[in-house]
Amino acid sequence: MESQRYKNCLREIRERANDVVDEQTGVHIKREDWLKLKLHIVSENNFPTAAGLASSAAGFACLVYTLAQLMGVNERYQGELSAIARLGSGSACRSLDGGFVKWDMGQKEDGADSIAVQIANETHWKDLVIFIAVVSSRQKEVSSTSGMQETVQTSPFLHFRAKDVVPKRIKEMEDAVARHDFSSFARITCADSNQFHATCLDTSPPIFYLNDTSKRLIGLVERWNTQEGSPQAAYTFDAGPNAVLFTTESNSSLLLQRLLFQFPPAPGVVLSSYVVGDLKTLELAGIKSLKDLASLEPPKELAEPKIPLRTPGELAYIICTRPGRGAFLLKDLGSSLIDSTSGLPFSK
Amino acid sequence: MESQRYKNCLREIRERANDVVDEQTGVHIKREDWLKLKLHIVSENNFPTAAGLASSAAGFACLVYTLAQLMGVNERYQGELSAIARLGSGSACRSLDGGFVKWDMGQKEDGADSIAVQIANETHWKDLVIFIAVVSSRQKEVSSTSGMQETVQTSPFLHFRAKDVVPKRIKEMEDAVARHDFSSFARITCADSNQFHATCLDTSPPIFYLNDTSKRLIGLVERWNTQEGSPQAAYTFDAGPNAVLFTTESNSSLLLQRLLFQFPPAPGVVLSSYVVGDLKTLELAGIKSLKDLASLEPPKELAEPKIPLRTPGELAYIICTRPGRGAFLLKDLGSSLIDSTSGLPFSK
């Protein structure tokens, strides 16, 4: 974590701190005391870091939310905390709320109105299923922050995209989410992921986040969609080679079967560490062991014999999930990472 | 070769045929006879085909040029033959002339004025050295003709590129060629190659011509250019993963050494089949055997220990060449592919 980005978040929260009385201990901290008090911050993350999966966004969102809770900060306008999280990591502004979030770029020079607001919460679209295909590999070569700055400076496409393409797509996407319209959602998601990476390639020197495995994941989805004549699944890639795949409940086991058929685990990897998260879909897909994987039939769109079929070990693992909730406070002390008597982290 | 594309070229040439008298035999063929006469066409190609290296462009340019010579066709305006070659394969219009050629998209609906003209011949820029790095792999998955049509229909970037970016770059490139300005030539070449592939990625479904080896070739050039603070080499990729690399005479052995350091041949491949074409640069680079390859020092920009250094077998071979001449007639019968007495191909 870069020290300056962390300090910016802490400064902004401290400026908004209020008097706080702890309900249980009765300890009273005055707003001006927050400027003098030192903090011991311990963080734990169960998500792959520095892999282009927005783990730093999650971290900064969590930090800002937690500091705001601690120091009794109330938002003066909707999205104020998201603007502070944005100072830590651009995309962190999107990670405070759960469900479906829209990042408004804003108008102000200083970015104070570049905030994220929730457009629908995590219960709005229960039919949506998400898989995250984590690609086996070293860490990405370019950090996404420096990458984006170079794109702004050198890509002729970026300005056109920001002005002529994105605003229209955001409206269409809001509409698709509101109507639970998976076809439109999928088309916009894929097209915009591809256009984001096209803009990276249009940068000088070019930025590559997608690798050959990413392209095979795209091919898996595109072949299936073409075969069926309408979107069955969608993909999006952030600043890294890992895919976030979307599908509907009724297609979820078909997508997971396709993933496991084309990307079986490397030899020696056990199923329980290869497919993680919400394992309901794995059950639905009828897969209980590695033996079930080996006997999976190729999906019909792979009849074309030229397509290389199975590439074991290209994925590290697959996370099965759904739209989730945003940041929230764990009330029970048992989940605390800090020993409340010593103020120090629990030793593991 | 698709039959219709070939027939289009033949029809256009026949329509422009003239009376011809063979100097040696005195045989006289009248213009109207060309419509009835059958042709036996034999073609030989020493270039990788269907690999995105414009081999079909070379073939159609050669076909149109040869038919025009045979049937006594004279251009009524500069570039008329290039417009006919374009009916066979879009980029074939660029392959009739040698040296530096400009393809003018034209204004007419039927494309009759979409022609290529030479802006400088092959002797204009003697300092320019070219390497073609042919990537080990199967044939490309999408034919470039169908790919481009899908891009025209689905890429939001394509229209912006054609209207706002390319015309300016063509002017800058003409100017760079005229002034032998390698820095500008290299910058435009790399930026435009990357933007072309960005437009392919912006297509739905996306088109990928670059693979991970292509990206490592781009990385090799970009690292060297960054290290030196100015362009030492340039890359461009057509509809496939193979790189065309440009450099200057004084840098040619440095580029070849870098290529051979990072991309040594697969075990068992002999040097004489790995580096082909004009071998002067190989001599300049001091490489006489595979042993010399093994003892190549890493280039200074690779000091950064994180960069994966050597990937043997990723390239099939490297062609060393320079700007060449266009289509021309081989006058001696010894190079003919057809037996002039039987009219049939020589058996090999």
Side-chain angles (χ1 to χ4, degrees):
Chain A
M1 195 186 292
E2 284 165 42
S3 160
Q4 192 53 50
R5 294 156 72 189
Y6 154 77
K7 282 181 190 159
N8 290 341
C9 293
L10 184 57
R11 183 194 65 232
E12 295 295 322
I13 294 291
R14 272 181 163 150
E15 281 176 8
R16 290 164 176 78
N18 286 309
D19 289 8
V20 171
V21 181
D22 188 273
E23 286 173 20
Q24 296 184 313
T25 60
V27 171
H28 187 179
I29 301 178
K30 288 195 187 140
R31 63 188 310 165
E32 56 270 25
D33 290 342
W34 290 115
L35 292 170
K36 293 173 280 180
L37 285 166
K38 292 196 180 347
L39 291 167
H40 197 118
I41 297 170
V42 182
S43 162
E44 201 177 77
N45 194 338
N46 70 349
F47 216 62
T49 54
L53 282 169
S55 61
S56 73
F60 275 110
C62 179
L63 175 72
V64 166
Y65 175 84
T66 310
L67 290 175
Q69 291 280 323
L70 178 72
M71 302 189 188
V73 175
N74 301 308
E75 285 194 331
R76 290 168 300 189
Y77 56 89
Q78 200 197 2
E80 186 177 12
L81 286 183
S82 83
I84 298 172
R86 204 180 49 74
L87 301 176
S89 170
S91 50
C93 69
R94 294 179 307 203
S95 299
L96 282 159
D97 289 312
F100 300 82
V101 170
K102 174 184 164 184
W103 182 0
D104 202 323
M105 79 177 147
Q107 306 288 339
K108 293 189 188 163
E109 194 70 19
D110 69 353
D113 60 345
S114 179
I115 59 173
V117 290
Q118 190 182 58
I119 58 170
N121 74 16
E122 62 275 16
T123 65
H124 165 71
W125 196 346
K126 294 197 171 158
D127 195 39
L128 205 61
V129 174
I130 302 172
F131 299 108
I132 300 165
V134 180
V135 171
S136 311
S137 68
R138 37 202 172 106
Q139 300 208 335
K140 61 182 170 165
E141 284 179 17
V142 189
S143 99
S144 53
T145 307
S146 76
M148 213 53 217
Q149 285 162 355
E150 283 162 19
T151 303
V152 170
Q153 284 159 21
T154 65
S155 165
F157 279 164
L158 185 77
H159 182 69
F160 172 76
R161 166 169 162 74
K163 197 172 132 282
D164 285 20
V165 182
V166 171
K168 193 161 157 276
R169 283 188 178 161
I170 286 195
K171 279 208 188 78
E172 288 168 356
M173 182 55 103
E174 282 189 83
D175 194 43
V177 169
R179 291 184 291 109
H180 307 106
D181 173 354
F182 184 76
S183 283
S184 300
F185 172 86
R187 265 189 278 262
I188 303 164
T189 299
C190 298
D192 208 63
S193 172
N194 290 330
Q195 189 172 86
F196 164 70
H197 292 281
T199 308
C200 294
L201 181 48
D202 190 45
T203 303
S204 175
I207 298 166
F208 298 104
Y209 293 123
L210 306 180
N211 66 17
D212 285 353
T213 306
S214 315
K215 291 182 218 166
R216 280 188 273 274
L217 286 160
I218 290 175
L220 181 153
V221 172
E222 293 285 0
R223 275 194 304 275
W224 188 19
N225 292 348
T226 300
Q227 161 89 19
E228 299 292 338
S230 69
Q232 309 298 303
Y235 52 82
T236 186
F237 296 80
D238 204 330
N242 308 302
V244 178
L245 301 163
F246 299 92
T247 192
T248 54
E249 181 79 45
S250 59
N251 268 331
S252 61
S253 60
L254 294 174
L255 177 56
L256 187 57
Q257 283 168 347
R258 278 169 169 80
L259 276 173
L260 292 172
F261 177 82
Q262 195 173 337
F263 301 98
V269 173
V270 296
L271 187 60
S272 62
S273 70
Y274 193 61
V275 182
V276 301
D278 172 4
L279 298 181
K280 205 182 102 192
T281 312
L282 195 65
E283 252 176 68
L284 275 174
I287 293 162
K288 295 189 186 101
S289 69
L290 288 175
K291 232 173 78 186
D292 297 326
L293 273 195
S295 57
L296 275 175
E297 289 290 319
K300 52 191 167 182
E301 70 270 17
L302 281 182
E304 174 66 45
K306 273 196 229 155
I307 295 166
L309 289 184
R310 312 191 79 169
T311 49
E314 283 204 13
L315 298 186
Y317 55 96
I318 299 166
I319 304 170
C320 306
T321 185
R322 283 168 183 274
R325 61 191 289 195
F328 64 99
L329 207 59
L330 296 167
K331 292 276 183 185
D332 71 303
L333 283 177
S335 33
S336 175
L337 301 174
I338 287 189
D339 183 334
S340 62
T341 53
S342 72
L344 294 174
F346 287 112
S347 50
K348 293 216 171 179
Chain B
M1 196 187 290
E2 286 165 40
S3 160
Q4 192 54 50
R5 293 156 74 188
Y6 154 77
K7 282 180 190 161
N8 289 343
C9 293
L10 184 57
R11 183 194 66 232
E12 294 294 322
I13 295 290
R14 272 181 163 151
E15 280 176 8
R16 291 163 175 79
N18 286 310
D19 290 7
V20 171
V21 180
D22 188 90
E23 286 174 23
Q24 295 183 313
T25 60
V27 171
H28 186 178
I29 301 178
K30 287 190 187 143
R31 62 188 310 166
E32 57 271 24
D33 291 342
W34 289 115
L35 292 171
K36 292 172 284 179
L37 285 167
K38 294 195 177 350
L39 291 168
H40 198 118
I41 297 170
V42 183
S43 163
E44 204 179 76
N45 194 339
N46 70 350
F47 216 62
T49 55
L53 281 169
S55 62
S56 73
F60 274 109
C62 179
L63 175 73
V64 166
Y65 175 83
T66 310
L67 289 174
Q69 290 279 321
L70 178 71
M71 302 189 189
V73 174
N74 300 309
E75 287 193 329
R76 288 168 302 188
Y77 57 88
Q78 200 196 2
E80 186 176 11
L81 285 184
S82 84
I84 299 173
R86 204 181 48 76
L87 301 176
S89 171
S91 51
C93 69
R94 294 180 306 204
S95 298
L96 282 158
D97 288 313
F100 301 82
V101 171
K102 173 186 164 183
W103 183 0
D104 201 322
M105 76 176 148
Q107 307 288 338
K108 292 189 190 166
E109 193 70 19
D110 69 353
D113 60 344
S114 178
I115 58 172
V117 291
Q118 189 181 61
I119 59 171
N121 73 16
E122 63 274 17
T123 64
H124 166 71
W125 197 346
K126 295 198 171 158
D127 195 38
L128 205 62
V129 174
I130 302 172
F131 299 108
I132 300 166
V134 179
V135 171
S136 309
S137 69
R138 41 206 168 102
Q139 298 208 338
K140 62 182 169 164
E141 284 179 18
V142 190
S143 98
S144 55
T145 306
S146 77
M148 213 53 217
Q149 284 162 356
E150 283 162 18
T151 303
V152 170
Q153 285 159 21
T154 65
S155 165
F157 280 164
L158 184 78
H159 182 71
F160 172 76
R161 165 168 162 75
K163 197 172 131 283
D164 285 20
V165 182
V166 170
K168 190 160 158 275
R169 282 188 178 162
I170 286 195
K171 279 208 188 77
E172 288 168 356
M173 182 55 102
E174 282 189 84
D175 193 43
V177 169
R179 289 185 291 111
H180 306 107
D181 174 354
F182 185 77
S183 282
S184 301
F185 172 87
R187 266 189 277 261
I188 303 164
T189 298
C190 298
D192 208 63
S193 172
N194 290 331
Q195 190 172 85
F196 163 70
H197 292 281
T199 308
C200 294
L201 181 48
D202 189 43
T203 302
S204 175
I207 299 167
F208 298 105
Y209 293 124
L210 306 180
N211 65 18
D212 285 352
T213 306
S214 314
K215 291 181 217 166
R216 280 189 272 274
L217 285 159
I218 289 174
L220 180 152
V221 171
E222 293 286 0
R223 276 193 303 275
W224 189 18
N225 292 348
T226 300
Q227 161 88 19
E228 298 292 337
S230 68
Q232 308 298 302
Y235 53 81
T236 185
F237 296 80
D238 204 329
N242 309 301
V244 179
L245 302 163
F246 299 91
T247 191
T248 53
E249 182 78 45
S250 59
N251 268 332
S252 60
S253 61
L254 294 174
L255 177 55
L256 188 57
Q257 283 168 346
R258 279 170 166 80
L259 277 173
L260 292 171
F261 177 81
Q262 194 172 336
F263 301 98
V269 173
V270 296
L271 187 60
S272 62
S273 70
Y274 193 63
V275 182
V276 301
D278 173 3
L279 298 181
K280 208 182 100 191
T281 312
L282 195 64
E283 251 175 72
L284 275 174
I287 294 162
K288 294 190 187 100
S289 69
L290 288 175
K291 233 173 76 186
D292 296 328
L293 274 195
S295 57
L296 275 174
E297 288 290 320
K300 52 191 167 184
E301 69 271 17
L302 282 183
E304 173 68 43
K306 274 197 228 155
I307 294 165
L309 287 184
R310 310 191 81 170
T311 51
E314 284 205 12
L315 298 185
Y317 54 97
I318 298 165
I319 304 169
C320 306
T321 184
R322 282 166 184 275
R325 61 191 290 197
F328 64 99
L329 208 59
L330 297 167
K331 293 278 185 184
D332 70 303
L333 284 178
S335 34
S336 175
L337 301 174
I338 287 188
D339 183 335
S340 62
T341 54
S342 71
L344 295 172
F346 286 113
S347 51
K348 292 217 171 175

